[in-house]
Amino acid sequence: MKKLLLLLGLLPGLMAAAQTTFPVNGVADPRPGSFAFTNATIIKDASTTIQNGTLVIKEGKIISAGNGSIPPDAVVIDCKGKYIYPSLIDMYSDYGVSATQRAGGTFAFFGPQQFNSNTKGPYNWNQAIRSEVNAADLFGTDDSKAQPLRELGFGTVLSHQKDGIARGTGVVATLSGKKENMVILKEKAAAFYSFSKGSSTQSYPTSMMGAVALLRQNYLDAQWYKNRPEKEGINKTLEAWNDEQSLPQVFETTDKWSGLRADGIGDEFGVQYIIKGGGNEYQRIGEVAATKAPYILSLNFPDAQKVEDPADARFVAWSDLAHWELAPTNPAVFEKAKILFALTTADLKDVKSFWPNLRKAIQNGLSEKTALEALTKTPATLLKIADKVGSLEPGRLANFLITNGDLFAEKTSILENWIQGERYDINAKNSSELKGQYTLAITEGSTVTQYQLEVKNNTSATVKAQEALTTRFSTDGNLVSLSFSLKPTTKVIGTGQKDSVFDNKQAGALIRLSGVNYGASWQGVGANEKGAPVSWVASQISSTPATKDSAKQTFIKPEAQTVYPFSSYGTAMLPQPETILIKNATVWTNEPGGIQVQTDVLVKEGKIAQVGKGLSVGGARVIDGTGKHLTPGIIDEHSHIAVFSINEGAQSVTSEVRIGDNLNPDDINIYRQLSGGVTTSQILHGSANTIGGQSQLIKLRWGADAEGLKFKGADPFIKFALGENVKRTAATQGNSRYPDTRMGVYEVLNDAFQRARDYEKAIKSGDKTVRRDLELDALVEILNNKRFITCHSYVQSEILGLINIAEKYGFKVNTFTHILEGYKVADRIKQHGSNVSTFSDWWGYKNEVRDAIPYNAAIMHQLGLNVCINSDDAEMARRLNQEAAKTIKYGGVSEEEAFKMVTLNPAKALHISNRVGSIKVGKDADLVLWSSNPLSIYARALYTMVDGAVYFDRQKDSENRGHRTAERNRLIQKMLSATKAGVPTVQVKPTAQVVLHCEDHEHADGVLAADAFEF
């Protein structure tokens, strides 16, 4: 009777009985919430499946999952033909947490700036560091936003406020639609970080490298704060930062390189981040795997572009076309690489695309087992909540799905999503047409009587035996009412069961039934013709459950993804050093031997092994140099290629930022400059600051990752700047950043080095309370001749001013770059001991170069300075050999000395002449074989080698052009076919070709902008 009374009150949305502090508004309706789901295929976890099993839940918890007994008070729900899975977990969500709004206008690189945080209270100096934010304090249920996630099968989310570089903590909560039933599983479940400053209107940082520096400084500040002097007071942001370090650390990134960049920060400070990826990690999966970092992967695959018009299609890069094809393989590539990952709905333009995209990932190689783990076990384990959710083990929350087939089959529907023992109808009532055949079983005591029920619509149905019986039937989609008159004679069909033999002529009193529509299964209570209570179940005669699709797999083999770098000019394998013998060439040695004709050079194990005539080595690759010229690789002393940002312009002194933190190995300019014979470049910070960021010397190893590009063992450099770029002009540019005059630039330098000197003195004194400052660390290195200056300079008075500052503090300006008035003060520069690096013949492009002359390089050379010709421009760098030749025209410099200005001289300026810059036994085999005299405008680089590996081969490049064209056409045809098939499309988005200069910068939102009116 107790069971019948419970059934009589059964309604959709049954919830587990639980104590609550919420007052009752009306009549209390407590229910024990005990259910037994029988005859189901139960997937306890990705590795355990139970056929024809029973799941028992009570009061929002799982009691058993298998073939155990059914409690007497349980509501029995027949799940024959159904599957039961654990509800899914999304560990990168902002559900229930309000988004912040950016205050005021957008940050202008040239214009009024906000230097300090406007956050009230004892918080961090930079408002993009928001460690004190706790999502649990902001969290609230929102059924309108929870319902779409429940419909996808999610029952639990990790939510945080997606704002800032340090974002505070996230909260793990269930997707209950009622506030009184909301369960927060963990108030502080993880700490979150990113490279985006979000809603912060504070000027700093404006660049990727600035964001990296800010994070690094905050790690140091937090360590210092633990043992700070009492006088320092309270900083709630640093307190929160320290408290959060024991939590899982989640770092949002936007692409493969920023993921590796984030991991590098973690390695520096002993933190293993969980990295939320950007979707193209498959392109460098080897490096990703080496991080040992777990990942969170979105299924936000790119839409096809509308490439029907060839004029539009030509603006789409091969890399974008290929990424469209390969992005769905990203999860499978992670699985193959054995990298732990979770899946998320984050970044999807429409969450309804989650399941179609997941099935696309499965078609492209992702196993269903790993997919299920990535949505259940893995996030639960990473968040240390596997004892609560993620599987159907006893004691876990009753968070589970009921489906009508294999979860990953295209035609499968999620019928119900139970969260904390509370039922949410997803497709139960709509999963099949109401019309159909049902088996009706009526239970009285131990006797079960079976009938056939045919439903025509929501107001018409008949109970059938030998003849159809008149039936009254109605449903509103939730509740079901059924009555009919008959007097069946029965025969026993086993212990306690009878098979009805209908005799319409003996129809008697009315049988009345009412209950709940569970879709393919209806249940309830009623009374028989004698008025005795009965229970009943009507089960739709099962069709074949949805199963895995038999569609052909479209998995793209891994070798199709192996392109280094991911460019149409990439290769399937990274170039490797070879044993190469170049025969009978004209060799420009840049050594005392000068230019040697009909000479051989042997390259072995990345080094120059022999230089001479008549060399012969077995097994060597022989290149005929007859009629050709072999030179050292060109070295560009001043370049801005291969980076994501070039200026951190928010402050006048930013010596803490490092170009090496934001290298872009995919920059096509690396390859283009190899084609012009460049093998080494100093990548400089821009000229927005008096003291800019730390430089990065690279070798142009096309295809290497960021670390592989770096010139290992080279001395570190830093960029300074003087003049118009630094001071700006308040009247025309709205500048509010000090300095605003050339006099102020001088004082910024004076102040910075005095602060550095005082800082170093305090450290040497043994004062343990000194806070480590990355900005001052770099300046102390300069004071101690451990870091060297390259200074953007034009006007003679400013050049002399910096020399005076340097000599006051006991260091040397290593190189004056640009130096277009260098010819005026060459004697003073020589006395100071600086190198110079200039343009060959640029002038007239801004006010402070009005005195520039094309004889500048020759004059400084004649006065005994070490003169370099630099590019400062990605296009000019491909013609530096020709730029060097101009010094012959303007000043009569000899051919050998002219060519040294782009080879040996910059090697000397950069302190790497022991490695590169000339052809000498033992030096790195960075060589270029030219078709003719390298100073000729007709000379072409035929081979460019770095460390004995051929990174540019003109003949191969020509041969590969046909393949590139064919591959591009294949991708366009595939995209056209997909468009015709009805896939989502977007208008063509021209692929940006980023060429950075000294004045280029990023807005606060990370979008590149340029004011390229000066250099």
Side-chain angles (χ1 to χ4, degrees):
M1 180 62 71
K2 182 178 180 182
K3 179 177 178 181
L4 295 177
L5 290 174
L6 287 171
L7 283 166
L8 189 61
L10 194 63
L11 291 171
L14 282 173
M15 58 187 177
Q19 298 183 55
T20 179
T21 58
F22 287 78
V24 175
N25 183 19
V27 179
D29 186 21
R31 305 181 186 184
S34 180
F35 299 90
F37 302 85
T38 62
N39 304 315
T41 300
I42 299 175
I43 293 83
K44 293 182 67 175
D45 54 48
S47 302
T48 309
T49 299
I50 300 170
Q51 302 293 338
N52 198 32
T54 297
L55 176 70
V56 178
I57 68 171
K58 185 174 183 178
E59 297 182 356
K61 297 286 186 68
I62 295 172
I63 303 302
S64 65
N67 297 304
S69 60
I70 298 174
D73 63 341
V75 176
V76 178
I77 299 176
D78 186 2
C79 290
K80 185 177 181 181
K82 308 297 188 298
Y83 289 62
I84 299 179
Y85 290 85
S87 289
L88 311 182
I89 304 168
D90 190 338
M91 65 178 295
Y92 203 82
S93 174
D94 58 1
Y95 164 76
V97 180
S98 59
T100 54
Q101 299 297 319
R102 182 180 177 85
T106 58
F107 165 67
F109 184 71
F110 290 116
Q113 297 173 284
Q114 178 191 326
F115 298 108
N116 300 313
S117 171
N118 58 18
T119 304
K120 305 297 182 183
Y123 297 105
N124 195 270
W125 76 272
N126 192 286
Q127 66 190 54
I129 303 296
R130 310 176 70 247
S131 304
E132 70 278 1
V133 173
N134 295 313
D137 298 335
L138 309 173
F139 187 80
T141 58
D142 185 340
D143 202 47
S144 64
K145 293 181 180 179
Q147 182 60 19
L149 295 173
R150 289 196 296 259
E151 289 175 355
L152 297 175
F154 289 92
T156 307
V157 293
L158 169 61
S159 286
H160 75 285
Q161 192 169 66
K162 298 179 180 179
D163 182 37
I165 289 174
R167 299 174 166 186
T169 62
V171 56
V172 177
T174 62
L175 288 171
S176 172
K178 298 180 180 178
K179 187 174 183 180
E180 62 270 27
N181 289 343
M182 178 179 68
V183 167
I184 289 181
L185 303 184
K186 271 195 175 182
E187 286 191 57
K188 296 182 179 180
F192 288 83
Y193 307 87
S194 79
F195 289 122
S196 171
K197 63 196 255 186
S199 64
S200 171
T201 52
Q202 194 169 348
S203 303
Y204 187 91
T206 63
S207 66
M208 172 64 76
M209 56 187 169
V212 172
L214 182 59
L215 278 167
R216 295 178 66 235
Q217 186 63 63
N218 267 275
Y219 274 108
L220 296 172
D221 288 352
Q223 292 170 5
W224 165 83
Y225 186 76
K226 291 178 183 178
N227 303 304
R228 71 194 184 283
E230 290 184 7
K231 64 180 180 180
E232 296 296 338
I234 299 299
N235 185 314
K236 291 185 177 181
T237 303
L238 293 179
E239 280 188 359
W241 178 293
N242 285 330
D243 291 342
E244 293 162 12
Q245 294 309 301
S246 61
L247 302 176
Q249 307 286 294
V250 182
F251 205 115
E252 179 187 60
T253 64
T254 56
D255 74 333
K256 56 184 185 282
W257 299 125
S258 57
L260 297 174
R261 186 177 302 117
D263 187 74
I265 297 172
D267 290 345
E268 182 177 357
F269 294 98
V271 178
Q272 180 60 77
Y273 293 120
I274 301 168
I275 296 177
K276 190 268 178 183
N280 64 358
E281 289 77 15
Y282 65 89
Q283 296 169 13
R284 306 298 297 214
I285 198 65
E287 290 93 329
V288 170
T291 68
K292 306 297 182 184
Y295 264 71
I296 304 170
L297 301 182
S298 172
L299 298 173
N300 181 31
F301 306 143
D303 291 330
Q305 299 189 52
K306 296 180 179 179
V307 292
E308 292 88 349
D309 189 335
D312 290 336
R314 69 191 181 95
F315 289 109
V316 185
W318 174 91
S319 56
D320 287 347
L321 293 168
H323 179 56
W324 168 78
E325 178 182 54
L326 293 172
T329 71
N330 199 44
V333 173
F334 268 77
E335 180 182 4
K336 183 176 180 181
K338 299 181 180 179
I339 303 171
L340 188 68
F341 67 92
L343 294 172
T344 177
T345 60
D347 303 332
L348 294 174
K349 293 181 284 291
D350 183 349
V351 295
K352 291 180 180 178
S353 64
F354 175 79
W355 277 106
N357 284 5
L358 178 54
R359 291 180 180 118
K360 187 183 294 185
I362 290 171
Q363 289 175 352
N364 281 279
L366 176 65
S367 73
E368 293 182 6
K369 178 178 182 293
T370 299
L372 184 58
E373 286 182 341
L375 291 164
T376 53
K377 176 184 176 182
T378 298
T381 301
L382 291 173
L383 296 175
K384 301 178 183 178
I385 55 172
D387 59 331
K388 298 179 177 67
V389 291
S391 64
L392 301 181
E393 295 291 340
R396 309 294 194 269
L397 286 182
N399 285 17
F400 59 92
L401 311 174
I402 300 177
T403 70
N404 64 356
D406 185 301
L407 183 61
F408 299 100
E410 184 175 358
K411 295 182 180 179
T412 290
S413 293
I414 297 173
L415 306 179
E416 302 171 18
N417 190 348
W418 289 68
I419 301 173
Q420 301 166 228
E422 181 180 359
R423 174 181 174 271
Y424 292 90
D425 173 21
I426 307 302
N427 289 297
K429 300 179 184 64
N430 303 316
S431 61
S432 58
E433 292 185 4
L434 194 66
K435 179 180 179 181
Q437 301 290 330
Y438 296 76
T439 297
L440 174 62
I442 300 177
T443 302
E444 179 184 359
S446 61
T447 303
V448 179
T449 308
Q450 295 180 342
Y451 307 103
Q452 286 182 305
L453 175 65
E454 181 181 12
V455 178
K456 298 177 182 177
N457 53 51
N458 63 352
T459 60
S460 176
T462 57
V463 174
K464 297 176 68 177
Q466 294 175 346
E467 299 177 4
L469 304 175
T470 302
T471 306
R472 296 177 61 186
F473 172 79
S474 66
T475 179
D476 61 1
N478 291 320
L479 300 179
V480 177
S481 177
L482 173 68
S483 61
F484 58 93
S485 299
L486 78 157
K487 183 67 176 179
T489 57
T490 60
K491 63 180 180 179
V492 176
I493 56 168
T495 305
Q497 288 195 335
K498 302 177 181 180
D499 191 15
S500 301
V501 180
F502 297 99
D503 184 353
N504 197 38
K505 296 179 181 179
Q506 297 181 6
L510 195 66
I511 295 177
R512 294 166 292 124
L513 308 174
S514 64
V516 177
N517 175 5
Y518 284 103
S521 177
W522 306 342
Q523 301 181 45
V525 295
N528 65 13
E529 72 279 11
K530 298 177 182 179
V534 297
S535 62
W536 65 279
V537 175
S539 301
Q540 191 171 27
I541 297 175
S542 299
S543 57
T544 303
T547 56
K548 292 188 288 291
D549 307 315
S550 59
K552 183 180 179 181
Q553 298 272 305
T554 58
F555 179 51
I556 299 171
K557 294 181 180 180
E559 53 263 30
Q561 301 158 350
T562 307
V563 181
Y564 302 107
F566 197 73
S567 162
S568 60
Y569 288 86
T571 56
M573 294 182 64
L574 291 173
Q576 298 299 315
E578 301 178 61
T579 299
I580 300 175
L581 180 59
I582 302 166
K583 297 283 293 180
N584 204 35
T586 298
V587 179
W588 296 52
T589 67
N590 283 350
E591 292 290 332
I595 300 174
Q596 301 178 13
V597 299
Q598 297 181 339
T599 299
D600 306 339
V601 174
L602 175 65
V603 171
K604 190 173 183 179
E605 297 178 353
K607 300 290 184 179
I608 298 169
Q610 295 183 54
V611 179
K613 298 181 183 293
L615 300 181
S616 178
V617 178
R621 173 186 176 186
V622 177
I623 298 176
D624 185 6
T626 303
K628 303 175 180 65
H629 293 245
L630 183 70
T631 72
I634 288 173
I635 301 170
D636 192 351
E637 189 277 336
H638 186 142
S639 178
H640 297 297
I641 66 167
V643 285
F644 290 102
S645 59
I646 208 67
N647 267 303
E648 179 48 64
Q651 298 172 172
S652 192
V653 178
T654 57
S655 49
E656 74 280 1
V657 306
R658 305 182 299 192
I659 286 290
D661 287 333
N662 78 152
L663 290 177
N664 176 16
D666 291 339
D667 186 357
I668 188 61
N669 288 300
I670 298 173
Y671 185 77
R672 289 172 178 167
Q673 291 182 17
L674 283 166
S675 76
V678 181
T679 56
T680 299
S681 294
Q682 179 179 212
I683 312 304
L684 289 168
H685 187 276
S687 55
N689 321 72
T690 305
I691 300 177
Q694 300 170 32
S695 311
Q696 181 60 58
L697 192 64
I698 68 170
K699 287 202 176 190
L700 275 60
R701 303 182 182 103
W702 179 238
D705 61 13
E707 286 302 309
L709 287 176
K710 294 177 180 178
F711 196 125
K712 299 295 191 296
D715 283 347
F717 277 69
I718 190 169
K719 173 74 174 290
F720 280 30
L722 307 170
E724 295 178 16
N725 293 14
V726 176
K727 73 178 188 63
R728 308 175 186 176
T729 302
T732 59
Q733 299 169 3
N735 180 45
S736 59
R737 192 198 76 184
Y738 187 88
D740 200 38
T741 65
R742 297 178 191 272
M743 296 180 292
V745 172
Y746 186 92
E747 287 309 316
V748 166
L749 290 166
N750 197 58
D751 174 73
F753 282 106
Q754 185 59 54
R755 287 188 293 115
R757 179 180 283 177
D758 294 342
Y759 171 73
E760 181 184 28
K761 182 179 179 181
I763 292 174
K764 287 182 176 179
S765 72
D767 185 351
K768 302 297 184 183
T769 66
V770 177
R771 166 186 164 273
R772 186 180 168 196
D773 190 318
L774 294 174
E775 175 187 303
L776 296 178
D777 281 349
L779 300 184
V780 169
E781 289 177 341
I782 295 170
L783 290 173
N784 292 315
N785 294 312
K786 293 182 178 179
R787 183 172 295 279
F788 303 92
I789 298 168
T790 292
C791 184
H792 163 115
S793 54
Y794 289 98
V795 179
Q796 60 175 330
S797 60
E798 294 184 322
I799 297 165
L800 297 176
L802 178 56
I803 289 175
N804 291 338
I805 286 285
E807 292 177 350
K808 173 181 178 180
Y809 287 96
F811 64 87
K812 182 174 69 176
V813 179
N814 188 87
T815 307
F816 284 99
T817 189
H818 298 326
I819 197 68
L820 295 187
E821 290 190 16
Y823 65 93
K824 296 181 180 181
V825 288
D827 54 346
R828 182 69 175 95
I829 296 172
K830 182 178 180 181
Q831 181 187 29
H832 181 65
S834 299
N835 302 278
V836 290
S837 184
T838 189
F839 300 124
S840 59
D841 61 351
W842 282 20
W843 63 81
Y845 52 86
K846 63 177 178 176
N847 182 60
E848 65 184 0
V849 298
R850 60 188 176 183
D851 284 355
I853 59 175
Y855 307 96
N856 184 44
I859 292 172
M860 291 190 293
H861 170 71
Q862 289 164 8
L863 289 173
L865 292 175
N866 182 51
V867 180
C868 314
I869 301 294
N870 62 252
S871 74
D872 192 20
D873 176 74
E875 288 301 301
M876 181 187 286
R878 296 190 298 118
R879 305 181 300 275
L880 275 177
N881 59 317
Q882 297 174 26
E883 296 299 307
K886 291 177 182 179
T887 64
I888 301 172
K889 174 181 175 63
Y890 298 112
V893 177
S894 70
E895 286 192 356
E896 285 188 70
E897 292 302 320
F899 198 68
K900 285 179 182 179
M901 290 182 181
V902 292
T903 52
L904 184 59
N905 291 3
K908 291 177 179 178
L910 294 168
H911 306 180
I912 53 174
S913 59
N914 64 324
R915 295 268 305 274
V916 293
S918 66
I919 297 178
K920 181 180 179 181
V921 173
K923 283 195 173 186
D924 296 353
D926 292 3
L927 303 170
V928 185
L929 185 64
W930 302 86
S931 60
S932 57
N933 186 311
L935 295 172
S936 166
I937 62 172
Y938 301 107
R940 296 182 300 164
L942 303 177
Y943 297 92
T944 303
M945 286 178 272
V946 181
D947 298 320
V950 178
Y951 279 87
F952 177 78
D953 180 330
R954 190 165 296 275
Q955 182 177 348
K956 283 188 177 180
D957 177 84
S958 179
E959 293 171 355
N960 288 337
R961 289 178 186 271
H963 170 73
R964 293 170 193 147
T965 300
E967 176 64 5
R968 180 181 176 83
N969 183 62
R970 180 190 70 81
L971 289 166
I972 288 176
Q973 293 302 319
K974 184 174 182 178
M975 192 171 280
L976 288 170
S977 297
T979 301
K980 291 178 182 178
V983 302
T985 57
V986 294
Q987 291 296 330
V988 163
K989 299 177 181 178
T991 305
Q993 294 292 313
V994 179
V995 179
L996 298 175
H997 299 99
C998 277
E999 288 71 39
D1000 292 337
H1001 56 88
E1002 289 176 304
H1003 287 307
D1005 58 5
V1007 178
L1008 183 73
D1011 292 278
F1013 59 86
E1014 60 182 0
F1015 294 87

